[in-house]
Amino acid sequence: MRIYLAARYSRRLELCWYREQLLAMGYEVQSRWLDGKHQISDKGQPIGDHGEALVEGDATSIRSAELRAHFAHDAWEDVTSADVVVSFTEAPRSSASRGGRHVEYGIALGLGKRVLVVGYRENIFHWLPHVEFYETPTMALAVLANEKGAR
């Protein structure tokens, strides 16, 4: 089973740990953004071997637009080919966000994927009856571990 992990980029390192837990259970995790080459570090510094400053910098440059489109395409492919999307949320109105994780969640809903929300119900679509809600990552991981063990 293929899982996509969605969260605010500043939580990337935390999500890498959850990815390792899921891989150890035997799941496939496809979230290229976790590899650290798609945006900025948790401290706000450009990361990656090339071009990350362009992504966060001048939005009018051709190269910046190309990189943004490339990263969006990666996320689109990862979400659309996943079986399950796990969306790690924030307390409502607690911080500014670029919102990519909300789009990923919406894509998953629109495609009829299994979706798990972990943390808070940030918006109205987190209340849909078929959306699984878990207050903590530990609870969500336990459910996924139990399912993997039952197979």
Side-chain angles (χ1 to χ4, degrees), residues 45-129:
Q45 300 299 314
I47 58 176
D49 297 328
H50 50 78
E52 302 309 326
L54 287 171
V55 174
E56 293 301 318
D58 181 11
T60 63
S61 80
I62 293 170
R63 185 63 181 136
S64 175
E66 290 171 348
L67 286 170
R68 287 178 174 158
H70 172 76
F71 298 153
H73 187 263
D74 284 353
W76 178 272
E77 283 184 340
D78 289 349
V79 171
T80 58
S81 62
D83 301 302
V84 175
V85 172
V86 182
S87 183
F88 290 77
T89 59
E90 306 299 322
R93 305 190 196 303
S94 64
S95 65
S97 173
R98 290 186 298 260
R101 63 195 168 86
H102 298 299
V103 174
E104 294 160 348
Y105 177 81
I107 292 167
L109 281 179
L111 293 175
K113 303 215 178 259
R114 179 181 178 195
V115 289
L116 285 68
V117 170
V118 178
Y120 301 88
R121 290 184 170 107
E122 276 185 278
N123 65 59
I124 196 143
F125 296 102
H126 293 154
W127 290 92
L128 289 169

Side-chain angles (χ1 to χ4, degrees), residues 10-23:
S10 63
R11 294 181 69 178
R12 186 183 69 79
L13 295 179
E14 173 191 357
L15 272 281
C16 286
W17 187 86
Y18 299 129
R19 173 177 60 184
E20 292 306 314
Q21 302 308 304
L22 291 165
L23 291 171

